[in-house]
Amino acid sequence: MTDFRTKMMRRALALARRGFGKTSPNPAVGCVIVRDGEIVGEGWHWKAGTPHAEVHALRQAGEKARGADVFVTLEPCSHHGRTPPCAEALINAGVSTVYAAMMDPNPLVSGRGLAMLRKAGITVNCGILEQECRLLNEAFVKHVTTGLPFVILKSAMTLDGKTATSSGDSKWITCEESRRYVHALRAKVDAIMVGVGTVLADDPQLTCRMVRGKDPQRIVIDSRLRTPPTASLFHLDSPAKTILATVERDPQKIAAIQSLGAEPLLCSEDDGRVDLEDLLRRLGARGIQSILLEGGRELVGSALRKGLVDKFFLFYAPKIIAGDDGFGLCSGRGVERMKDAFTLRNTSVRRFAEDFLVIGYPESTCLQD
């Protein structure tokens, strides 16, 4: 029986992944309804503002939901938001048992949905594949519990750790397959962030044009509003916002940026530059759950030293620049002893043609600004 329950929760998790990247600020959730050992209803949350996974599954199951078992990747909600409570819908459908992978970390729910089900006489079990389901919604979990976005650092490097040659040339380090995967990542986050140095050097579009999907909001750390009006990110056929995080108060510069359709976002100062922690608080308050941080070196170094990176996507191409005059991942002073190095945990490796992608999470850091 335990194996069957795990199998059904894996199916619910697979359904949840179909909505990943489309549901923010809500979590990605999947639901499977089983009666007499057979699946009678399935559903997942498509996008924010639409019915939740449980509602879609109940609609498919119809009368067969009565007395059935429900497998859902997250505790059913108990509050009225843009949609009615899912716990209430399950109660009204007359289900017998609910298996939830994890409790909802949202303070508005946080056990209340499960308590509502129990009070109605429904048997409740929680914890099947909890870690897998938690990882799927890691950005939601961080944002709903801290108010801060989940920051993912992405970089492409040669085998000797260079992100560009001595002339600044970086096109292209990785293969097309790797770059397409990066665009798919962009389509699944709420925002993409770069420093003004990257804009001045590369004139990026910061879109997900290599795949089908929504463009993320574009955030440029531009303390003194140096981004030129000719920059590509001001002239895109894209519904996503372009935001320039700044400490510049010059009304003429601000008006010029606004005239291009972008938004200057005034932040607190940190040694004359944008305070990244203040910026993340402001972005989190706007409902931005996830950010893909793509450079440049100064921004990456600062984010690492302040402990603001939650996850790493590091691409390595089988190339060697063969010199000490290229550009590395970070600028600024690093650690002096190897035992103080920034360490990754829970690492995994994927391959794209001849490229390698290392995915991991930060353990701790002794780096200091």
Side-chain angles (χ1 to χ4, degrees):
M1 178 60 75
T2 300
D3 289 343
F4 178 77
R5 292 171 182 171
T6 301
K7 180 180 178 181
M8 291 300 98
M9 191 62 79
R10 287 201 186 283
R11 175 57 185 168
L13 185 57
L15 291 169
R17 291 192 180 102
R18 296 186 184 183
F20 182 70
K22 304 171 187 175
T23 62
S24 181
N26 296 338
V29 180
C31 180
V32 174
I33 300 178
V34 177
R35 184 170 175 178
D36 298 327
E38 293 187 5
I39 295 175
V40 295
E42 294 184 328
W44 68 93
H45 188 30
W46 299 348
K47 63 179 182 179
T50 65
H52 291 182
E54 297 94 323
V55 174
H56 288 297
L58 286 170
R59 286 175 179 173
Q60 188 179 101
E63 283 301 313
K64 292 181 180 180
R66 188 163 300 279
D69 295 337
V70 176
F71 296 83
V72 61
T73 57
L74 186 70
E75 173 185 2
C77 61
S78 59
H79 64 289
H80 284 269
R82 295 167 70 178
T83 58
C86 290
E88 187 176 286
L90 292 170
I91 292 168
N92 292 337
V95 303
S96 174
T97 305
V98 171
Y99 297 93
M102 60 177 285
M103 191 178 294
D104 192 335
N106 186 344
L108 292 175
V109 185
S110 192
R112 293 180 178 86
L114 299 181
M116 183 183 295
L117 295 172
R118 290 191 180 101
K119 186 177 180 180
I122 296 172
T123 302
V124 173
N125 291 276
C126 189
I128 301 176
L129 299 184
E130 179 175 357
Q131 184 61 20
E132 289 91 332
C133 293
R134 186 172 292 276
L135 285 175
L136 175 67
N137 285 308
E138 56 193 358
F140 168 77
V141 171
K142 181 185 179 183
H143 183 258
V144 81
T145 56
T146 69
L148 298 172
F150 188 84
V151 179
I152 305 165
L153 171 60
K154 188 282 299 182
S155 187
M157 291 175 280
T158 59
L159 290 179
D160 49 350
K162 304 297 184 181
T163 59
T165 65
S166 58
S167 68
D169 180 35
S170 61
K171 294 183 178 180
W172 295 101
I173 293 176
T174 52
C175 67
E176 183 176 343
E177 188 177 344
S178 294
R179 299 197 301 275
R180 185 176 295 109
Y181 181 76
V182 169
H183 281 235
L185 281 177
R186 290 179 176 181
K188 293 174 181 176
V189 298
D190 294 332
I192 181 171
M193 181 184 290
V194 298
V196 65
T198 296
V199 174
L200 295 174
D202 300 336
D203 191 26
Q205 296 184 43
L206 306 181
T207 60
C208 57
R209 59 195 177 278
M210 294 182 74
V211 299
R212 292 182 62 183
K214 65 173 180 63
D215 288 336
Q217 295 187 52
R218 295 169 289 273
I219 302 168
V220 179
I221 312 298
D222 188 357
S223 297
R224 296 301 168 190
L225 294 182
R226 295 189 291 141
T227 303
T230 55
S232 294
L233 50 80
F234 291 138
H235 307 282
L236 298 170
D237 182 17
S238 170
K241 273 186 176 183
T242 296
I243 299 171
L244 272 63
T246 186
V247 296
E248 180 61 70
R249 298 177 180 272
D250 186 325
Q252 289 186 327
K253 288 186 176 182
I254 291 174
I257 294 300
Q258 291 172 328
S259 70
L260 293 166
E263 177 189 354
L265 178 59
L266 190 62
C267 300
S268 299
E269 288 193 31
D270 179 12
D271 196 22
R273 296 174 295 179
V274 169
D275 183 331
L276 293 181
E277 292 167 290
D278 177 63
L279 171 60
L280 291 180
R281 284 192 293 269
R282 293 174 186 272
L283 296 176
R286 292 175 171 220
I288 292 178
Q289 279 188 359
S290 54
I291 295 174
L292 190 62
L293 174 60
E294 292 203 14
R297 296 187 310 128
E298 184 176 326
L299 175 58
V300 169
S302 182
L304 282 173
R305 286 188 287 273
K306 291 179 181 296
L308 302 179
V309 177
D310 298 297
K311 192 173 187 178
F312 293 79
F313 280 79
L314 303 177
F315 290 84
Y316 290 91
K319 300 175 182 179
I320 298 174
I321 288 179
D324 57 9
D325 52 355
F327 292 89
L329 177 64
C330 307
S331 64
R333 186 176 179 178
V335 300
E336 296 182 357
R337 296 175 296 181
M338 189 57 68
K339 73 180 185 68
D340 296 329
F342 204 97
T343 304
L344 302 190
R345 61 177 175 82
N346 296 343
T347 56
S348 60
V349 178
R350 293 187 59 175
R351 188 165 183 169
F352 297 92
E354 295 301 310
D355 296 346
F356 292 90
L357 166 62
V358 177
I359 303 172
Y361 297 84
E363 183 175 80
S364 63
T365 180
C366 295
L367 290 171
Q368 299 293 327
D369 275 329

